[in-house]
């Protein structure tokens, strides 16, 4: 949005204030919030549930003020016009009767139309002197009928459709005929109407002018001071249905592979933008300016490729195959470009000596890489020669110091880990698994250790082979089960046989129990003795009527896991893992999965259960199948759960018997949680967008992938058959409240995640970026300690840096002296205080006190600091709805942010003058 808004302003001098979104399939209040804070005043939306439209129309509430659920100051209010009928095309915009409205789509005139004729059998004719009266009165009758659904005398009638106005002849036909009709209507004062062409802005200006004169408020109605005469509403518009009981909940999951790539590109772009800002803030060498500015074109392309995929037929998975390929290639190209840049930036920020030419290849390469746009990333294998060490650098893109168990792949197990001071680090080595029934063990190894990386900073570790001064990585012990005796004990691990009906893995906080017959998670036992039933189940819907948009199962999901298969338990001092390649009806299982728990100290990981599902819904055996995982817990949630909206806020969801199963599915961009009346809560954080439901008391069901033959009649013209092998990762968090909380069943207000839950979600969606040195160092030569720590301290743990960037890269010498190149965007998270405040992590403070921008960066002076809109185009923050929150930023640097707010600041950074 920022990139697009700035482009409009720079290219044609326009700062947008009206949002037009006729085709997204349901609407989130997060978008309304972001638009308001960008300086937008009005929104127009179309695709909302047909029953909801009917109810709003009946009460003349199709125009309303959209307010956020937490807002008691009316500061988030934005005016919304909702279109009243089935579609946004001409037959469905002039009035309630499409057969009549279609007669006024003059691009369809018989004989010279490139568009289909009206399906109702009555077609448009050219307006002339003989028919203008009849046609004008017929059109005006539709206008009058439509106007009864709204409060004001100002009526909007859009005139267009997808792929329209492709020729001047078509545009001329519409304009010429409508002008004749308007001339007739406007010339007869008895009709008491005026009709004219106008823009969306003209409509909203006319409406606001009318409401300034006439108050349309209803008795007892809660309105807004922003635009008088309309009700204020809160909430979201999911799940959308356009007719009968066709719910558009399938697109929440369609093409999950590319939904995952989208998230990776987003976090890589953000990481690159932070690195550019740090380079230009801290490094005074010419190469530190030259490399980012020479990267400008590719950075802009990455922003636009990410933005392009946010299209309502992009990230939704509802584009034609060849369009998906184009999206995929664009995102892959940008990912590669960004990773190459980050590899070079790491070198510069760590102060490695470099040649004068900026064209020198980087010393580092990303730890993960993709060979093509449509394959999973793979971990690079570290093959360290005897007597040498490879450097591994971690970049932490979050605002708090990160203590985390990290992992790299090594070709041999006898490795040692050293930190940047050449001190020994305890480590663990475990076998690497893969989704291959005949060869579950790859022959490579996962090397784990606990890393500590400063906020927005870098730290180097070394993987050494043949270093005598430290203990080698401790091999995990393995327990194996195979119903075909294909699993053999790999060297150098000690193995035993998995026997009995149940098996456990545990760390200092929890013990997990598994059903050994099916290889599925059954229970979580906390260290205080509390037991929570989880009841993991993997199932499949058969859905011959589903398509890219619609989810229309023919019945309940059926479990697919049978007794048997292959299972491995790997246990070590840092990581414990249960791996299962299950037996199913199919010879090649469509899914295998791992459950991991970690024993890191002072990490968020130690509280988390990590679930990783490898999904391969490939081949005709899985046509018209939709794969789900279901957690059948014993939490008394009464079929109430919460899911997130854009990773920004949560919405309360309740399952209803009166609507079909598919209508009870909701979007899950990153989080869903169940909570019982006693405060026990089970949260599932996702690394990508999926769909979620709670169809029975205590159940949480998440769809993983879908493969569908048919088109569902919503415009795509094909099924969804281009499934890719992929990994879906969840972080599951079991929490108990420490004080009384709102009853999640009886309250209609959305609940908030805990502080720990916010941290877990941030760690999952903003993972550390790892880079490996291309060449090994001899262990006989101790390298200088290499780390980079730009912040004076971690930020308060409910304060999040949405981004820290330079929107437009220009050479410092070309920058106006008073300009502010840098932008810092901060978000204060709202959290549920009935759960443990610190969550066991190193959280030392929260943002109740003002945060000082001037003291944020080590060795940098902050100049020209001022508040701005989220699209960076408005500096009058009162217009954006912010109230008394920005304080004296420019003079004193004090930033005070209310929970749930996002605020942006422009600033200039200069290195401290050395005395």
């Amino acid at each position: 949005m920022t990139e697009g808004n700035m482009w409009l302003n720079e290219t044609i001098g326009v700062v947008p204030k009206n949002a037009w979104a006729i085709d997204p399939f349901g609407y989130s209040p997060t978008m309304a919030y972001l638009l308001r804070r960008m300086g937008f005043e009005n929104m127009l939306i179309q695709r909302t549930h047909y029953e909801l439209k009917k109810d709003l129309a009946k009460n003349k509430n199709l125009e309303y003020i959209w307010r956020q659920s937490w807002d008691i100051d009316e500061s988030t209010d934005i005016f919304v016009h909702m279109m009243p009928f089935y579609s946004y095309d001409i037959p469905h915009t002039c009035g309630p009767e499409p057969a009549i409205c279609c007669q006024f789509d003059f691009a369809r005139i018989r004989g010279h139309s490139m568009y289909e004729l009206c399906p109702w059998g009555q077609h448009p004719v050219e307006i002339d002197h003989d028919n203008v009266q009849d046609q004008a009165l017929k059109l005006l009758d539709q206008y009058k009928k439509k106007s009864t659904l709204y409060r004001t005398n100002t009526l909007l009638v859009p005139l267009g459709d997808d792929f329209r106005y492709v020729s001047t002849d078509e545009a001329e036909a519409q304009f010429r005929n409508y002008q004749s009709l308007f001339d007739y209507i406007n010339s007869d004062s008895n009709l008491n109407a005026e009709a004219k062409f106008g823009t969306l802005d003209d409509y909203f200006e006319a409406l606001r002018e009318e409401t300034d004169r006439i108050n349309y408020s209803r008795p007892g109605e809660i309105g807004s001071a922003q635009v008088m005469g309309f009700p204020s509403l809160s909430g979201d518009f999911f799940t959308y249905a356009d007719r009968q009981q066709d719910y558009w909940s399938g697109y929440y999951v369609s093409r999950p592979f590319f939904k995952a790539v989208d998230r990776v590109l987003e976090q890589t772009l953000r990481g690159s933008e932070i690195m550019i800002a740090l380079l230009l803030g801290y490094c005074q060498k010419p190469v530190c300016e030259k490399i980012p500015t020479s990267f400008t074109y590719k950075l802009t392309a990455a922003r636009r490729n990410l933005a392009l995929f946010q299209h309502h037929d992009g990230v939704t998975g509802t584009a034609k195959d060849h369009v998906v390929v184009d999206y995929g290639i664009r995102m892959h190209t940008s990912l590669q470009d960004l990773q190459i840049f980050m590899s070079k930036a790491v070198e510069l920020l760590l102060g490695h000596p470099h040649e004068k030419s900026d064209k020198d290849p980087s010393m580092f390469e990303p730890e993960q890489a993709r060979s093509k746009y449509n394959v999973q990333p793979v971990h690079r294998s570290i093959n360290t020669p005897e007597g040498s060490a490879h450097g591994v650098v971690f970049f932490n893109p979050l605002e708090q110091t990160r203590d985390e168990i990290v992992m790299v792949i090594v070709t041999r197990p006898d490795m040692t880990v050293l930190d940047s001071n050449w001190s020994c680090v305890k480590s663990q080595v475990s076998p690497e698994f893969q989704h291959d029934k005949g060869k579950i063990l790859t022959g490579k190894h996962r090397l784990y250790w606990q890393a500590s990386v400063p906020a927005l900073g870098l730290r180097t570790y070394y993987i050494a082979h043949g270093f005598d001064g430290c203990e080698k990585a401790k091999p995990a012990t393995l327990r194996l089960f195979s119903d075909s005796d294909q699993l053999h004990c790999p060297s150098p691990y000690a193995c035993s046989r998995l026997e009995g009906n149940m098996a456990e893995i545990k760390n200092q906080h929890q013990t997990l129990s598994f059903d050994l017959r099916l290889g599925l998670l059954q229970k979580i036992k906390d260290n205080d003795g509390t037991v929570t039933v989880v009841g993991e189940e993997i199932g499949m819907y058969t859905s011959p009527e589903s398509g890219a948009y619609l989810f229309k199962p023919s019945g309940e999901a059926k479990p697919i896991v049978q007794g048997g298969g292959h299972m491995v338990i790997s246990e070590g001092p840092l990581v414990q893992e249960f791996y299962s390649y299950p037996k199913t009806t199919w010879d090649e299982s469509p899914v295998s999965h791992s459950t991991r728990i970690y024993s890191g100290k002072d990490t968020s990981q130690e509280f988390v259960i990590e679930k990783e599902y490898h999904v391969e819904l490939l081949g005709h055996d899985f046509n018209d199948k939709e794969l789900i995982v279901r957690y059948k817990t014993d939490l008394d949630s009464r079929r109430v759960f919460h899911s997130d909206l854009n990773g920004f806020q949560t919405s309360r969801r309740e399952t209803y018997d009166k609507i079909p199963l598919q209508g009870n599915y909701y979007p899950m961009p990153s989080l869903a949680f169940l909570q019982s009346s006693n405060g026990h809560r089970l949260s599932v954080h996702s690394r990508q967008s999926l769909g979620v439901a709670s169809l029975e008391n205590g159940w949480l069901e998440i769809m993983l992938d879908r493969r569908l033959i048919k088109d569902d009649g919503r415009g795509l013209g094909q099924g969804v058959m281009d499934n890719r092998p992929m990994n879906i990762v969840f972080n599951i968090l079991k929490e108990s409240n420490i004080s009384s909380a709102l009853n999640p069943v009886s309250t209609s207000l959305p609940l908030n995640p805990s502080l720990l839950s916010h941290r877990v979600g941030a760690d999952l969606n903003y993972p550390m970026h790892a880079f490996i040195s291309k060449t090994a160092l001899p262990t006989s030569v101790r390298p200088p300690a290499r780390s980079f720590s730009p912040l004076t301290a971690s930020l308060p743990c409910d304060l999040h840096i949405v981004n820290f960037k330079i929107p437009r890269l220009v050479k410092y010498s070309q920058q106006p002296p008073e300009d502010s190149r840098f932008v810092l965007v901060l978000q204060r998270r709202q959290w549920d205080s009935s759960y443990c405040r610190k969550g066991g992590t190193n959280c030392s403070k929260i943002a109740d006190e003002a945060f000082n921008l001037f003291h944020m960066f080590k060795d940098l002076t902050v100049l020209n600091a001022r508040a701005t809109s989220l699209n960076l185009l408005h500096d009058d923050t009162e217009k954006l709805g912010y109230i008394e929150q920005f304080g004296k930023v420019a003079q004193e640097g004090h930033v005070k942010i209310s929970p749930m707010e996002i605020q942006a600041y422009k600033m200039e950074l200069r290195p401290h003058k050395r005395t």
Side-chain angles (χ1 to χ4, degrees):
M1 282 288 287
T2 301
E3 177 69 22
N5 282 201
M6 290 181 71
W7 181 89
L8 279 173
N9 188 36
E10 291 162 2
T11 309
I12 54 176
V14 167
V15 178
K17 63 177 183 179
N18 304 301
W20 170 268
I22 55 172
D23 217 9
F25 332 127
Y27 297 88
S28 165
T30 303
M31 202 66 212
Y33 172 80
L34 294 174
L35 288 167
R36 178 78 174 98
R37 296 293 186 249
M38 286 181 174
F40 281 69
E41 297 172 3
N42 310 293
M43 297 176 68
L44 182 144
I45 63 175
Q46 150 62 17
R47 290 194 184 274
T48 57
H49 196 297
Y50 61 94
E51 289 287 359
L52 177 70
K53 284 196 183 203
K54 194 188 298 182
D55 185 71
L56 291 174
K58 187 169 65 178
N59 296 295
K60 295 193 175 186
N61 289 338
L62 285 164
E63 289 180 318
Y64 62 92
I65 306 298
W66 205 344
R67 181 174 298 164
Q68 300 303 314
S69 60
W70 66 84
D71 180 12
I72 56 173
D73 299 315
E74 303 183 10
S75 77
T76 61
D77 290 2
I78 189 168
F79 183 76
V80 182
H81 172 96
M82 185 188 295
M83 294 170 68
F85 304 126
Y86 169 75
S87 180
Y88 50 76
D89 59 1
I90 296 171
H92 296 94
T93 49
C94 91
E97 297 167 81
I100 293 174
C101 290
C102 193
Q103 297 171 47
F104 296 94
D105 185 357
F106 296 103
R108 300 185 195 236
I109 291 176
R110 191 189 295 273
H112 57 82
S113 173
M114 62 181 288
Y115 304 107
E116 65 173 16
L117 296 172
C118 291
W120 296 273
Q122 296 170 286
H123 308 294
V125 295
E126 189 77 23
I127 301 299
D128 58 26
H129 179 75
D130 296 329
N131 65 15
V132 67
Q133 180 178 8
D134 288 344
Q135 294 298 95
L137 293 177
K138 190 190 290 186
L139 180 63
L140 190 58
D141 180 59
Q142 290 297 302
Y143 289 174
K144 285 180 177 175
K145 287 174 178 172
K146 181 177 181 179
S147 72
T148 63
L149 308 179
Y150 293 92
R151 298 189 179 192
T152 72
N153 293 310
T154 307
L155 186 70
L156 176 68
V157 184
L159 189 69
D161 198 349
D162 297 76
F163 317 114
R164 286 303 189 92
Y165 303 110
V166 295
S167 71
T168 52
D169 287 348
E170 174 196 346
E172 181 59 35
Q174 298 282 24
F175 179 79
R176 181 178 63 250
N177 286 286
Y178 269 97
Q179 193 62 60
S180 297
L181 293 165
F182 291 171
D183 288 345
Y184 181 85
I185 292 169
N186 296 340
S187 66
D188 187 343
S189 58
N190 293 322
L191 295 178
N192 198 27
E194 180 189 4
K196 61 183 179 181
F197 291 106
T199 64
L200 188 63
D201 191 54
D202 291 333
Y203 170 70
F204 285 124
E205 287 290 334
L207 179 135
R208 284 172 177 260
E209 188 276 327
E210 181 182 342
T211 56
D212 284 344
R213 291 184 287 107
I214 306 168
N215 188 350
Y216 290 102
S217 297
R218 304 280 179 80
E221 183 174 81
I222 298 174
S224 170
Q226 194 205 105
V227 185
M228 303 292 285
F230 300 95
S232 64
L233 303 177
S234 292
D236 63 277
F237 294 102
F238 297 110
T239 290
Y240 170 58
D242 58 345
R243 58 179 187 245
Q244 293 144 356
Q245 291 194 322
D246 286 359
Y247 283 86
W248 296 40
S249 49
Y251 82 84
Y252 302 153
V253 188
S254 295
R255 290 175 168 127
F257 177 90
F258 291 103
K259 285 176 166 66
V261 176
D262 169 75
R263 196 68 60 87
V264 173
L265 177 56
E266 187 271 331
Q267 70 204 23
T268 308
L269 174 61
R270 176 182 173 275
S272 298
E273 292 190 312
I274 290 171
M275 279 189 164
I276 287 170
L278 293 172
L279 266 179
L280 293 177
Y282 279 93
C283 179
Q284 296 307 296
K285 297 170 183 171
V287 69
C288 294
E289 183 173 353
K290 190 172 183 183
I291 286 177
T293 49
S294 64
F295 184 64
T296 301
Y297 174 78
K298 288 179 177 177
L299 178 69
T300 301
R303 288 170 176 165
R304 293 179 183 180
N305 286 335
L306 177 64
L308 184 69
F309 194 63
Q310 304 315 304
H311 185 273
H312 62 263
D313 283 316
V315 69
T316 52
T318 52
K320 288 185 181 293
D321 287 345
H322 70 277
V323 180
V324 173
V325 170
D326 183 62
Y327 281 136
I329 291 171
R330 287 172 182 270
M331 289 196 289
H332 178 64
T333 300
S334 288
L335 264 175
Q336 287 186 309
D337 289 341
L338 293 167
Q339 287 186 319
I340 290 168
F341 168 77
M342 289 178 86
S343 301
K344 193 70 179 173
V346 163
E347 187 180 333
L348 295 171
L349 287 168
L350 288 177
H352 281 280
H354 56 273
E355 301 298 323
K356 290 187 177 178
S357 168
D358 61 313
K359 295 199 167 23
D360 287 329
S362 171
M363 297 169 56
F364 297 98
E365 56 189 354
E367 188 270 329
Q368 290 189 56
R370 293 173 197 258
S371 57
K372 292 189 297 187
Y373 78 93
N374 58 357
V375 299
Q376 288 265 88
V378 294
H379 295 275
R380 294 186 197 273
S381 301
I382 299 178
N383 185 13
T384 307
E386 176 83 28
S388 59
H390 269 99
V392 180
V393 178
F394 292 96
F395 170 55
N396 172 15
L398 290 179
E399 54 285 327
Q400 278 105 29
T401 297
R402 200 137 160 193
D403 292 293
E404 190 170 296
I405 293 173
V406 295
M407 186 274 291
V408 295
I409 300 295
V410 291
T411 55
R412 52 185 303 144
D414 52 341
M415 296 301 217
T416 301
V417 179
L418 306 166
D419 68 13
S420 56
N421 293 316
W422 219 237
S423 301
C424 308
V425 178
K426 288 183 178 178
S427 57
Q428 172 188 329
V429 67
S430 303
E432 184 189 34
F433 304 117
Q434 64 182 352
H435 181 85
D436 183 340
K437 184 179 178 182
K439 191 186 176 188
I440 283 174
L441 300 171
T442 67
K444 296 177 183 175
H445 309 269
R446 289 177 172 171
L447 180 65
Y448 295 98
W449 72 96
Q450 184 165 328
S452 182
V453 187
L456 298 194
L458 299 157
R459 181 148 290 157
T460 307
Y461 288 85
Y462 295 94
I463 312 301
H465 177 209
F467 185 79
D468 294 332
C470 291
E471 186 184 354
K472 291 176 183 173
K474 189 172 178 60
T477 56
L478 307 183
R479 289 184 278 161
L480 313 176
F481 171 84
S482 172
D483 58 6
S484 61
D485 291 325
Q486 287 181 315
L487 268 177
H488 303 291
C489 187
S491 176
Y493 303 99
C495 300
S496 60
R497 185 169 174 78
L498 260 177
E499 294 177 332
N501 297 322
M502 300 292 288
E504 292 182 347
I505 58 174
K506 60 185 175 183
N507 66 6
Q508 66 267 46
H509 297 292
Q510 53 197 345
T511 300
L512 308 187
S513 301
F514 295 85
D515 176 349
L516 271 189
R517 192 177 66 86
L518 301 174
L520 296 168
L521 177 62
Q522 288 300 298
K523 292 177 184 175
I524 306 168
K525 182 179 178 181
D526 295 335
N527 58 3
D528 66 358
T530 306
V531 175
T532 303
V533 173
V534 176
E536 180 184 16
E537 182 178 279
I538 297 172
M540 208 170 261
Y541 287 100
T542 300
S543 309
E545 299 304 313
S546 287
Y549 301 90
L550 303 185
F551 174 35
K552 295 186 77 173
S554 58
E556 298 287 332
K558 301 285 194 303
I560 63 168
V561 177
Q562 302 172 352
H566 307 292
M567 294 167 224
V568 182
I569 289 182
S570 165
E571 292 174 288
L574 297 175
V575 185
Q576 300 77 45
E577 178 171 9
F578 186 106
Y579 175 84
S580 174
Y581 184 102
K583 183 178 180 182
T584 63
T585 305
W586 306 277
D587 188 49
E588 298 290 332
S589 172
V591 62
S592 60
H593 55 104
S594 278
T595 310
R596 300 182 196 99
I597 52 175
Y598 296 86
S599 300
K601 191 173 183 319
D602 296 325
T603 68
S604 62
Q605 288 166 305
E606 62 190 293
F607 302 97
V608 163
I609 301 164
E610 184 176 282
K611 284 292 312 186
E612 181 169 6
Y613 297 92
H614 181 90
V615 177
E616 294 195 3
L617 219 57
L618 313 175
H620 299 306
D621 286 348
F622 303 108
N623 287 351
D624 292 331
K625 303 291 185 186
E626 308 189 66
L627 182 70
I628 59 123
V629 64
R630 186 180 280 162
Y631 303 111
K632 298 161 79 168
T633 79
D634 59 354
L635 299 182
D636 185 19
S637 60
R638 309 287 177 88
R639 300 198 298 175
V640 171
F641 71 104
H642 286 72
S643 62
D644 75 299
L645 293 160
N646 312 82
F648 176 66
Q649 59 181 303
T650 62
S651 185
R652 182 184 185 275
R653 311 298 189 188
E654 186 168 350
T655 299
Y656 297 101
D657 291 325
K658 63 185 177 183
I659 59 176
L661 185 158
Q662 59 267 28
N664 287 301
Y665 247 83
Y666 292 94
M668 177 187 168
S670 64
L671 171 67
F673 63 83
L674 297 170
Q675 184 172 319
S676 61
S677 55
N678 66 2
H680 290 285
R681 181 184 285 188
L682 187 88
S683 303
V684 180
H685 291 268
S686 173
R687 200 168 63 174
Q688 66 184 87
S689 297
L690 295 164
V692 64
S694 180
L695 302 177
E696 298 291 343
N697 184 29
W699 289 17
L700 198 66
E701 171 176 315
I702 304 166
M703 192 177 288
L704 303 178
D705 200 359
R706 52 206 312 262
R707 181 181 179 87
L708 307 160
I709 299 175
K710 288 184 185 171
D711 174 56
D712 52 17
R714 295 309 190 273
L716 182 57
Q718 62 161 80
V720 178
M721 305 280 285
D722 54 355
N723 305 68
R724 308 297 311 167
M726 61 174 302
N727 292 348
I728 293 170
V729 176
F730 299 141
N731 277 357
I732 299 173
L733 186 61
K734 165 69 175 58
E735 296 177 285
S736 301
N737 62 339
I738 56 170
S739 61
S740 60
L742 291 169
N743 187 321
V745 176
S746 60
T747 180
S748 61
L749 291 170
L751 302 179
N752 293 300
S754 67
L755 256 183
L756 174 60
S757 186
H758 276 304
R759 179 68 187 258
V760 168
D763 287 350
L764 187 61
N765 279 292
Y766 298 100
M768 290 205 282
H769 299 265
F771 303 88
I772 302 171
S773 62
K774 292 177 181 175
T775 55
L777 314 163
T779 52
S780 56
V781 180
R782 178 174 169 174
R786 304 251 182 221
S787 62
F788 173 68
S789 182
L791 302 189
T792 52
S794 290
L795 266 59
C797 43
D798 53 353
L799 204 58
H800 170 55
I801 295 176
V802 177
N803 211 341
F804 174 46
K805 64 180 180 178
I806 298 176
R808 290 289 180 261
L809 278 169
V810 293
K811 288 186 177 176
Y812 179 63
S813 57
Q814 298 169 347
Q815 178 198 351
E818 292 304 309
D819 198 18
S820 302
R821 287 185 300 173
F822 296 81
V823 168
L824 180 69
V825 185
L826 295 171
Q827 172 195 354
R828 178 139 181 233
R829 296 186 171 116
Q830 191 163 54
W831 47 280
D832 191 330
S833 59
S834 63
Y835 291 84
C836 184
R837 171 171 152 177
K838 295 183 180 179
T841 62
N842 286 324
C843 174
S844 58
K845 58 180 176 176
I846 56 172
D848 284 341
E849 302 297 320
F851 167 75
N852 197 301
L853 219 54
F854 292 175
H855 302 155
M856 179 175 168
F857 297 98
K858 280 183 199 166
D859 303 323
L860 289 180
T861 301
V862 176
L863 306 167
N864 306 336
R866 64 188 190 276
T868 184
S869 61
L870 297 186
N871 61 0
L872 316 182
L873 298 178
H874 302 272
D875 291 342
D876 181 359
T877 52
E878 278 191 31
K879 275 190 175 178
L880 312 177
Y882 292 112
I883 39 178
E884 299 174 11
Q885 289 186 21
F886 282 101
K888 298 177 180 178
V889 178
Q891 293 81 28
E892 300 170 8
H894 291 307
V895 170
K896 179 82 169 164
I897 305 181
S898 298
M900 292 306 299
E901 287 291 2
I902 303 176
Q903 294 177 188
Y905 301 88
K906 292 178 181 174
M907 64 181 82
E908 187 54 40
L909 298 176
R910 297 273 193 279
H912 287 336
K913 289 180 181 172
R914 307 228 179 249
T915 53

